[in-house]
Amino acid sequence: MVKFSIYDESKLDAQIELVQEVIKDWDWVIWYPNKESLKESYSQEGFSPETRHYAYVDEKLVGFLSSTIERKIDDVLFGSIHIPFIRKGYEHVEEELVKKAISTLQIKGAEAIRSFAMPGWGNTIQILEKHGFKEKKLLSYATMFPVNLLMNEDYKKPEHVIEIELPKDDYKLVELIMKESKQPREVIERYIDKLIADDALVASTIVYNYGDASSGYLAKGLQYLEMPGRIFLSFVTVVKKENMRFFKDVIKDGFEFLAQKAKEAGYDTLWYEARDVENVELYRELGLNMEPTFRFTLRI
């Protein structure tokens, strides 16, 4: 018999153990918040313990699903559910666990529910589609690759690749991100300031190319479980339509420099998410294995 419960702090250790046990067999291993980060998140104003769903069989935690009420978009109140984490051998709890999360959000007024998934996250996509998440949108492509993939041992930085000195020149990074981001300056400044304050920024660069400037940086995932040797790479490629034949050169220049910095800092693997989905084949031509990320939506 399956028993369900909602959040209290005593469940966090078992929650993390369950997640680690489930994702170790996935083709695409994700990050997951550590205990300290979870406690901080779950203690914020507005947090609802009843949106965290725990499934037990014989007092053993075998399933966990996180959900939340988000915000109104075009007068529709959205909720979201995260990945259903279900221990191998206990797949029978899945249907009731997901239904419980959907019902809770519906009671709280959600008119639509979103979720995000990749093919490598176990059978998450099949679960979402089974429960009526019919709207599917491609959001991005993600990749993990070794620092040595796009660099040589005798690497020398080209003159058009400039290292941003942080925190002294953080405004340069803010300006470049603003050009390609729809977010207000204060939001970007807050984000970069927090990365710097947390000592999370390892390196940053500007790549000048044919009248344009692309930018990128390396950031530690401080609020997540440690994945030894891996670090986040962010890069915004700015190339005019008439110069798209140079796109791969720009990516290679930026990635080579940041890979070198990652190696110097003791990292051997880079994680990158490309939101310019129209350029996925160009990334693949560089030897990057790009995996799609989808957003699924259920209309209630």
Side-chain angles (χ1 to χ4, degrees):
M1 182 178 176
V2 183
K3 294 182 180 180
F4 290 90
S5 182
I6 63 173
Y7 170 75
D8 67 67
E9 191 175 315
S10 68
K11 295 181 171 67
L12 286 181
D13 287 330
Q15 176 181 327
I16 291 172
E17 182 277 328
L18 169 67
V19 172
Q20 289 179 313
E21 175 65 22
V22 171
I23 68 177
K24 71 179 177 59
D25 295 323
W26 286 3
D27 295 331
W28 191 269
V29 179
I30 62 168
W31 278 263
Y32 191 74
N34 56 32
K35 186 175 181 179
E36 181 181 349
S37 181
L38 285 170
K39 285 173 65 175
E40 179 182 347
S41 176
Y42 291 2
S43 64
Q44 290 180 0
E45 184 178 353
F47 170 72
S48 301
E50 64 272 18
T51 61
R52 300 301 184 273
H53 308 277
Y54 300 81
Y56 294 85
V57 173
D58 297 330
E59 308 303 321
K60 181 178 184 178
L61 181 63
V62 298
F64 172 72
L65 181 54
S66 172
S67 64
T68 190
I69 290 290
E70 294 185 345
R71 59 191 174 92
K72 277 195 172 185
I73 302 175
D74 297 329
D75 290 325
V76 175
L77 181 61
F78 275 82
S80 66
I81 64 172
H82 195 233
I83 302 163
F85 297 109
I86 299 170
R87 200 181 299 275
K88 190 174 182 179
Y90 295 89
E91 290 80 6
H92 63 282
V93 309
E94 167 256 302
E95 185 165 358
E96 195 174 350
L97 180 64
V98 176
K99 284 183 177 179
K100 188 172 288 290
I102 292 173
S103 175
T104 299
L105 293 175
Q106 190 171 11
I107 291 170
K108 288 180 170 292
E111 300 165 282
I113 301 173
R114 302 190 295 187
S115 191
F116 303 87
M118 297 177 69
W121 292 357
N123 62 340
T124 301
I125 289 178
Q126 292 89 333
I127 291 174
L128 292 173
E129 291 178 337
K130 173 184 174 182
H131 287 274
F133 287 75
K134 301 299 184 184
E135 296 180 29
K136 180 180 179 181
K137 182 178 180 180
L138 174 63
L139 294 181
S140 64
Y141 284 89
T143 185
M144 286 185 293
F145 61 94
V147 296
N148 293 329
L149 180 65
L150 297 178
M151 61 176 288
N152 301 314
E153 289 298 325
D154 57 349
Y155 174 78
K156 292 183 180 179
K157 184 177 72 66
E159 290 186 2
H160 61 277
V161 176
I162 308 300
E163 181 171 7
I164 298 177
E165 294 184 41
L166 297 170
K168 180 171 71 73
D169 293 335
D170 61 343
Y171 69 93
K172 294 181 181 178
L173 186 57
V174 170
E175 291 293 334
L176 287 165
I177 295 174
M178 277 189 61
K179 288 181 180 179
E180 295 301 312
S181 173
K182 296 179 182 178
Q183 294 180 309
R185 174 189 289 272
E186 57 269 22
V187 172
I188 298 170
E189 286 179 335
R190 243 188 344 261
Y191 176 67
I192 297 299
D193 287 346
K194 179 164 177 30
L195 286 177
I196 292 173
D198 289 344
D199 193 30
L201 275 178
V202 171
S204 184
T205 185
I206 302 172
V207 179
Y208 292 101
N209 59 91
Y210 313 100
D212 290 313
S214 300
S215 62
Y217 58 85
L218 297 173
K220 306 172 191 175
L222 291 184
Q223 300 217 347
Y224 294 81
L225 287 175
E226 283 197 30
M227 294 290 183
R230 292 179 10 180
I231 191 168
F232 291 98
L233 182 156
S234 178
F235 197 80
V236 177
T237 312
V238 182
V239 180
K240 291 186 177 68
K241 187 175 181 180
E242 60 269 25
N243 290 328
M244 278 304 292
R245 64 188 183 278
F246 301 118
F247 180 90
K248 287 189 294 183
D249 295 332
V250 174
I251 287 289
K252 193 169 185 298
D253 283 341
F255 282 22
E256 275 187 340
F257 172 78
L258 292 172
Q260 180 68 36
K261 289 296 180 180
K263 189 171 184 178
E264 291 173 2
Y267 296 92
D268 55 35
T269 305
L270 299 172
W271 166 297
Y272 176 65
E273 184 176 17
R275 299 189 182 278
D276 51 338
V277 297
E278 68 279 6
N279 296 322
V280 63
E281 291 306 322
L282 296 177
Y283 286 104
R284 286 176 174 152
E285 288 173 15
L286 286 167
L288 301 175
N289 178 27
M290 309 299 290
E291 294 288 337
T293 302
F294 297 101
R295 182 179 68 211
F296 291 83
T297 304
L298 166 67
R299 302 284 173 175
I300 300 175

